[in-house]
Amino acid sequence: MEASFKPRTTRIEGTTVEFSRRTNPEVNITVPDYLLCVNFNTIKNAFYAYSGAPERRGIRKVGYSHLISANHNIKGYTPDPADHVIFTITPDRLRYLALTTFEEDHFDLRTEGIPFFDPFIYQIACSVRDELCADMLGGSIMIESLTTMLGIHLLRKHSSLRQQSFEQRRKLAPHKLILITDYIHNHFNQEISLTELANLADMSPFHFSRCFKQATGQSPSQYILTKRIEFVQQELLNTKQSLLELSLAAGFSSQSHMTKVFKQSVGLSPGEFRKLYR
């Protein structure tokens, strides 16, 4: 690179991207975010240590990357100037990509600190470097797309998400489904939140809602309403309770709400149902 080298940096959607030249041979950093450093030079006699692990020495080749966990430390020494593209990605950004792409927000990145070569990551880094240096119209959109692709690739290939197929992760285990439906049957007349049910299943609300609907054909809220309507139907046939009493006993906020939901579900008003079938 020329002596007039100018570092370039930008921040887009929870990701900071920097193309820089390290002239200080020593590095000792701890960052609050995930850090991916892609090397653009062959560096001889480099050494580094990751979060207190034993020191490693060797040659850092072009295209090799370091992936560092959030809030971890890396120390190192590179005797020659080194050009890098450095991505710092917030945990919230990776969780968002995991949730919207894989319907899962529980994962671990494999970040042992050992240099590795991933041709896709190197290709992304080269493209980002070129966009930063070109400073052309549309560059920020290109970089946003590239960093999104990078985040998804890290989750696909360098995280715990790859251990299960997408279809496996979408399924609600039978014992969890029984646990959830039993809980609803016993508490349908109370206020039940999506977060409460998701916690019972040990899932995020978004992921749980998708899995529950796949297993039952109904969203959690629809399933709860179905149980309330079934209760009202039984009580209409077997008791003389008023509609107001039944609506409150079933967990509805008002008689009018119960009547509306009942007619949408059954096709008759509660009074018509009682008169017709009792």
PDB file of all heavy atoms in Angstrom, residues 210-231:
ATOM      1  N   ARG A 210     -44.081 -19.350  16.698  1.00  0.00           N
ATOM      2  CA  ARG A 210     -44.018 -20.082  15.431  1.00  0.00           C
ATOM      3  C   ARG A 210     -44.134 -21.592  15.657  1.00  0.00           C
ATOM      4  O   ARG A 210     -44.867 -22.289  14.950  1.00  0.00           O
ATOM      5  CB  ARG A 210     -42.705 -19.763  14.716  1.00  0.00           C
ATOM      6  CG  ARG A 210     -42.603 -18.349  14.167  1.00  0.00           C
ATOM      7  CD  ARG A 210     -43.560 -18.155  13.000  1.00  0.00           C
ATOM      8  NE  ARG A 210     -43.376 -16.881  12.348  1.00  0.00           N
ATOM      9  CZ  ARG A 210     -42.566 -16.672  11.320  1.00  0.00           C
ATOM     10  NH1 ARG A 210     -41.848 -17.664  10.838  1.00  0.00           N
ATOM     11  NH2 ARG A 210     -42.466 -15.479  10.770  1.00  0.00           N
ATOM     12  N   CYS A 211     -43.378 -22.102  16.633  1.00  0.00           N
ATOM     13  CA  CYS A 211     -43.382 -23.542  16.898  1.00  0.00           C
ATOM     14  C   CYS A 211     -44.746 -24.019  17.393  1.00  0.00           C
ATOM     15  O   CYS A 211     -45.221 -25.093  17.015  1.00  0.00           O
ATOM     16  CB  CYS A 211     -42.305 -23.888  17.923  1.00  0.00           C
ATOM     17  SG  CYS A 211     -40.617 -23.716  17.326  1.00  0.00           S
ATOM     18  N   PHE A 212     -45.377 -23.225  18.257  1.00  0.00           N
ATOM     19  CA  PHE A 212     -46.679 -23.611  18.802  1.00  0.00           C
ATOM     20  C   PHE A 212     -47.727 -23.677  17.693  1.00  0.00           C
ATOM     21  O   PHE A 212     -48.532 -24.620  17.638  1.00  0.00           O
ATOM     22  CB  PHE A 212     -47.104 -22.617  19.882  1.00  0.00           C
ATOM     23  CG  PHE A 212     -48.355 -23.025  20.618  1.00  0.00           C
ATOM     24  CD1 PHE A 212     -48.276 -23.834  21.740  1.00  0.00           C
ATOM     25  CD2 PHE A 212     -49.604 -22.601  20.189  1.00  0.00           C
ATOM     26  CE1 PHE A 212     -49.424 -24.218  22.420  1.00  0.00           C
ATOM     27  CE2 PHE A 212     -50.758 -22.981  20.855  1.00  0.00           C
ATOM     28  CZ  PHE A 212     -50.663 -23.792  21.979  1.00  0.00           C
ATOM     29  N   LYS A 213     -47.711 -22.701  16.798  1.00  0.00           N
ATOM     30  CA  LYS A 213     -48.688 -22.702  15.711  1.00  0.00           C
ATOM     31  C   LYS A 213     -48.457 -23.873  14.770  1.00  0.00           C
ATOM     32  O   LYS A 213     -49.409 -24.479  14.263  1.00  0.00           O
ATOM     33  CB  LYS A 213     -48.631 -21.385  14.940  1.00  0.00           C
ATOM     34  CG  LYS A 213     -49.743 -21.278  13.892  1.00  0.00           C
ATOM     35  CD  LYS A 213     -49.866 -19.881  13.335  1.00  0.00           C
ATOM     36  CE  LYS A 213     -51.061 -19.789  12.385  1.00  0.00           C
ATOM     37  NZ  LYS A 213     -51.239 -18.421  11.854  1.00  0.00           N
ATOM     38  N   GLN A 214     -47.195 -24.213  14.539  1.00  0.00           N
ATOM     39  CA  GLN A 214     -46.903 -25.365  13.686  1.00  0.00           C
ATOM     40  C   GLN A 214     -47.424 -26.654  14.318  1.00  0.00           C
ATOM     41  O   GLN A 214     -47.928 -27.540  13.629  1.00  0.00           O
ATOM     42  CB  GLN A 214     -45.389 -25.477  13.459  1.00  0.00           C
ATOM     43  CG  GLN A 214     -45.011 -26.609  12.497  1.00  0.00           C
ATOM     44  CD  GLN A 214     -43.522 -26.847  12.448  1.00  0.00           C
ATOM     45  OE1 GLN A 214     -42.878 -26.945  13.488  1.00  0.00           O
ATOM     46  NE2 GLN A 214     -42.969 -26.943  11.259  1.00  0.00           N
ATOM     47  N   ALA A 215     -47.342 -26.745  15.654  1.00  0.00           N
ATOM     48  CA  ALA A 215     -47.749 -27.967  16.349  1.00  0.00           C
ATOM     49  C   ALA A 215     -49.257 -28.083  16.512  1.00  0.00           C
ATOM     50  O   ALA A 215     -49.805 -29.190  16.479  1.00  0.00           O
ATOM     51  CB  ALA A 215     -47.077 -28.030  17.716  1.00  0.00           C
ATOM     52  N   THR A 216     -49.959 -26.956  16.697  1.00  0.00           N
ATOM     53  CA  THR A 216     -51.391 -27.001  17.019  1.00  0.00           C
ATOM     54  C   THR A 216     -52.295 -26.452  15.922  1.00  0.00           C
ATOM     55  O   THR A 216     -53.507 -26.680  15.952  1.00  0.00           O
ATOM     56  CB  THR A 216     -51.676 -26.205  18.306  1.00  0.00           C
ATOM     57  OG1 THR A 216     -51.399 -24.812  18.066  1.00  0.00           O
ATOM     58  CG2 THR A 216     -50.820 -26.709  19.458  1.00  0.00           C
ATOM     59  N   GLY A 217     -51.712 -25.708  14.984  1.00  0.00           N
ATOM     60  CA  GLY A 217     -52.529 -25.066  13.956  1.00  0.00           C
ATOM     61  C   GLY A 217     -53.110 -23.739  14.395  1.00  0.00           C
ATOM     62  O   GLY A 217     -53.818 -23.084  13.630  1.00  0.00           O
ATOM     63  N   GLN A 218     -52.826 -23.333  15.637  1.00  0.00           N
ATOM     64  CA  GLN A 218     -53.334 -22.073  16.170  1.00  0.00           C
ATOM     65  C   GLN A 218     -52.209 -21.315  16.857  1.00  0.00           C
ATOM     66  O   GLN A 218     -51.281 -21.925  17.399  1.00  0.00           O
ATOM     67  CB  GLN A 218     -54.455 -22.317  17.185  1.00  0.00           C
ATOM     68  CG  GLN A 218     -55.728 -22.910  16.617  1.00  0.00           C
ATOM     69  CD  GLN A 218     -56.780 -23.094  17.703  1.00  0.00           C
ATOM     70  OE1 GLN A 218     -56.558 -23.791  18.686  1.00  0.00           O
ATOM     71  NE2 GLN A 218     -57.928 -22.457  17.530  1.00  0.00           N
ATOM     72  N   SER A 219     -52.328 -19.996  16.863  1.00  0.00           N
ATOM     73  CA  SER A 219     -51.396 -19.199  17.657  1.00  0.00           C
ATOM     74  C   SER A 219     -51.724 -19.412  19.131  1.00  0.00           C
ATOM     75  O   SER A 219     -52.825 -19.869  19.472  1.00  0.00           O
ATOM     76  CB  SER A 219     -51.529 -17.720  17.299  1.00  0.00           C
ATOM     77  OG  SER A 219     -52.779 -17.221  17.748  1.00  0.00           O
ATOM     78  N   PRO A 220     -50.804 -19.097  20.040  1.00  0.00           N
ATOM     79  CA  PRO A 220     -51.110 -19.252  21.474  1.00  0.00           C
ATOM     80  C   PRO A 220     -52.370 -18.505  21.901  1.00  0.00           C
ATOM     81  O   PRO A 220     -53.184 -19.042  22.657  1.00  0.00           O
ATOM     82  CB  PRO A 220     -49.858 -18.694  22.154  1.00  0.00           C
ATOM     83  CG  PRO A 220     -48.762 -18.936  21.170  1.00  0.00           C
ATOM     84  CD  PRO A 220     -49.393 -18.725  19.827  1.00  0.00           C
ATOM     85  N   SER A 221     -52.548 -17.281  21.425  1.00  0.00           N
ATOM     86  CA  SER A 221     -53.734 -16.510  21.823  1.00  0.00           C
ATOM     87  C   SER A 221     -55.011 -17.142  21.279  1.00  0.00           C
ATOM     88  O   SER A 221     -56.043 -17.182  21.970  1.00  0.00           O
ATOM     89  CB  SER A 221     -53.609 -15.064  21.340  1.00  0.00           C
ATOM     90  OG  SER A 221     -53.497 -15.005  19.927  1.00  0.00           O
ATOM     91  N   GLN A 222     -54.971 -17.665  20.052  1.00  0.00           N
ATOM     92  CA  GLN A 222     -56.143 -18.336  19.487  1.00  0.00           C
ATOM     93  C   GLN A 222     -56.472 -19.602  20.271  1.00  0.00           C
ATOM     94  O   GLN A 222     -57.641 -19.918  20.504  1.00  0.00           O
ATOM     95  CB  GLN A 222     -55.883 -18.676  18.016  1.00  0.00           C
ATOM     96  CG  GLN A 222     -55.838 -17.473  17.097  1.00  0.00           C
ATOM     97  CD  GLN A 222     -55.355 -17.836  15.703  1.00  0.00           C
ATOM     98  OE1 GLN A 222     -54.587 -18.793  15.513  1.00  0.00           O
ATOM     99  NE2 GLN A 222     -55.793 -17.077  14.711  1.00  0.00           N
ATOM    100  N   TYR A 223     -55.431 -20.325  20.667  1.00  0.00           N
ATOM    101  CA  TYR A 223     -55.631 -21.565  21.423  1.00  0.00           C
ATOM    102  C   TYR A 223     -56.293 -21.271  22.769  1.00  0.00           C
ATOM    103  O   TYR A 223     -57.204 -21.990  23.200  1.00  0.00           O
ATOM    104  CB  TYR A 223     -54.284 -22.257  21.633  1.00  0.00           C
ATOM    105  CG  TYR A 223     -54.384 -23.655  22.194  1.00  0.00           C
ATOM    106  CD1 TYR A 223     -54.549 -24.749  21.357  1.00  0.00           C
ATOM    107  CD2 TYR A 223     -54.307 -23.878  23.570  1.00  0.00           C
ATOM    108  CE1 TYR A 223     -54.638 -26.037  21.869  1.00  0.00           C
ATOM    109  CE2 TYR A 223     -54.401 -25.159  24.092  1.00  0.00           C
ATOM    110  CZ  TYR A 223     -54.562 -26.234  23.237  1.00  0.00           C
ATOM    111  OH  TYR A 223     -54.663 -27.507  23.752  1.00  0.00           O
ATOM    112  N   ILE A 224     -55.855 -20.209  23.437  1.00  0.00           N
ATOM    113  CA  ILE A 224     -56.447 -19.823  24.725  1.00  0.00           C
ATOM    114  C   ILE A 224     -57.917 -19.457  24.545  1.00  0.00           C
ATOM    115  O   ILE A 224     -58.780 -19.874  25.333  1.00  0.00           O
ATOM    116  CB  ILE A 224     -55.659 -18.653  25.343  1.00  0.00           C
ATOM    117  CG1 ILE A 224     -54.252 -19.117  25.740  1.00  0.00           C
ATOM    118  CG2 ILE A 224     -56.387 -18.096  26.565  1.00  0.00           C
ATOM    119  CD1 ILE A 224     -53.316 -17.986  26.113  1.00  0.00           C
ATOM    120  N   LEU A 225     -58.228 -18.691  23.497  1.00  0.00           N
ATOM    121  CA  LEU A 225     -59.624 -18.326  23.237  1.00  0.00           C
ATOM    122  C   LEU A 225     -60.475 -19.558  22.955  1.00  0.00           C
ATOM    123  O   LEU A 225     -61.636 -19.640  23.381  1.00  0.00           O
ATOM    124  CB  LEU A 225     -59.701 -17.354  22.059  1.00  0.00           C
ATOM    125  CG  LEU A 225     -59.282 -15.905  22.332  1.00  0.00           C
ATOM    126  CD1 LEU A 225     -59.365 -15.087  21.054  1.00  0.00           C
ATOM    127  CD2 LEU A 225     -60.157 -15.279  23.415  1.00  0.00           C
ATOM    128  N   THR A 226     -59.906 -20.530  22.241  1.00  0.00           N
ATOM    129  CA  THR A 226     -60.642 -21.765  21.957  1.00  0.00           C
ATOM    130  C   THR A 226     -61.013 -22.485  23.246  1.00  0.00           C
ATOM    131  O   THR A 226     -62.143 -22.976  23.403  1.00  0.00           O
ATOM    132  CB  THR A 226     -59.803 -22.692  21.065  1.00  0.00           C
ATOM    133  OG1 THR A 226     -59.580 -22.056  19.801  1.00  0.00           O
ATOM    134  CG2 THR A 226     -60.512 -24.022  20.828  1.00  0.00           C
ATOM    135  N   LYS A 227     -60.069 -22.554  24.188  1.00  0.00           N
ATOM    136  CA  LYS A 227     -60.351 -23.213  25.464  1.00  0.00           C
ATOM    137  C   LYS A 227     -61.425 -22.459  26.249  1.00  0.00           C
ATOM    138  O   LYS A 227     -62.276 -23.068  26.912  1.00  0.00           O
ATOM    139  CB  LYS A 227     -59.071 -23.318  26.298  1.00  0.00           C
ATOM    140  CG  LYS A 227     -58.008 -24.201  25.672  1.00  0.00           C
ATOM    141  CD  LYS A 227     -58.563 -25.594  25.424  1.00  0.00           C
ATOM    142  CE  LYS A 227     -58.018 -26.220  24.162  1.00  0.00           C
ATOM    143  NZ  LYS A 227     -58.676 -27.500  23.812  1.00  0.00           N
ATOM    144  N   ARG A 228     -61.413 -21.149  26.174  1.00  0.00           N
ATOM    145  CA  ARG A 228     -62.436 -20.360  26.865  1.00  0.00           C
ATOM    146  C   ARG A 228     -63.817 -20.602  26.255  1.00  0.00           C
ATOM    147  O   ARG A 228     -64.812 -20.733  26.977  1.00  0.00           O
ATOM    148  CB  ARG A 228     -62.068 -18.876  26.797  1.00  0.00           C
ATOM    149  CG  ARG A 228     -60.872 -18.512  27.656  1.00  0.00           C
ATOM    150  CD  ARG A 228     -60.482 -17.049  27.509  1.00  0.00           C
ATOM    151  NE  ARG A 228     -59.383 -16.714  28.418  1.00  0.00           N
ATOM    152  CZ  ARG A 228     -58.774 -15.538  28.454  1.00  0.00           C
ATOM    153  NH1 ARG A 228     -59.153 -14.575  27.611  1.00  0.00           N
ATOM    154  NH2 ARG A 228     -57.790 -15.315  29.306  1.00  0.00           N
ATOM    155  N   ILE A 229     -63.873 -20.650  24.933  1.00  0.00           N
ATOM    156  CA  ILE A 229     -65.156 -20.879  24.264  1.00  0.00           C
ATOM    157  C   ILE A 229     -65.675 -22.284  24.566  1.00  0.00           C
ATOM    158  O   ILE A 229     -66.882 -22.488  24.785  1.00  0.00           O
ATOM    159  CB  ILE A 229     -65.019 -20.662  22.746  1.00  0.00           C
ATOM    160  CG1 ILE A 229     -64.725 -19.189  22.444  1.00  0.00           C
ATOM    161  CG2 ILE A 229     -66.273 -21.119  22.011  1.00  0.00           C
ATOM    162  CD1 ILE A 229     -65.779 -18.230  22.950  1.00  0.00           C
ATOM    163  N   GLU A 230     -64.786 -23.275  24.592  1.00  0.00           N
ATOM    164  CA  GLU A 230     -65.205 -24.637  24.934  1.00  0.00           C
ATOM    165  C   GLU A 230     -65.785 -24.687  26.348  1.00  0.00           C
ATOM    166  O   GLU A 230     -66.784 -25.377  26.602  1.00  0.00           O
ATOM    167  CB  GLU A 230     -64.015 -25.594  24.815  1.00  0.00           C
ATOM    168  CG  GLU A 230     -63.579 -25.850  23.378  1.00  0.00           C
ATOM    169  CD  GLU A 230     -62.328 -26.703  23.289  1.00  0.00           C
ATOM    170  OE1 GLU A 230     -61.746 -27.021  24.359  1.00  0.00           O
ATOM    171  OE2 GLU A 230     -61.923 -27.059  22.168  1.00  0.00           O
ATOM    172  N   PHE A 231     -65.166 -23.950  27.265  1.00  0.00           N
ATOM    173  CA  PHE A 231     -65.678 -23.886  28.636  1.00  0.00           C
ATOM    174  C   PHE A 231     -67.073 -23.260  28.663  1.00  0.00           C
ATOM    175  O   PHE A 231     -67.991 -23.772  29.323  1.00  0.00           O
ATOM    176  CB  PHE A 231     -64.717 -23.069  29.501  1.00  0.00           C
ATOM    177  CG  PHE A 231     -65.257 -22.721  30.855  1.00  0.00           C
ATOM    178  CD1 PHE A 231     -65.227 -23.644  31.892  1.00  0.00           C
ATOM    179  CD2 PHE A 231     -65.807 -21.462  31.100  1.00  0.00           C
ATOM    180  CE1 PHE A 231     -65.735 -23.321  33.152  1.00  0.00           C
ATOM    181  CE2 PHE A 231     -66.307 -21.131  32.352  1.00  0.00           C
ATOM    182  CZ  PHE A 231     -66.278 -22.067  33.378  1.00  0.00           C
TER     183      PHE A 231
END
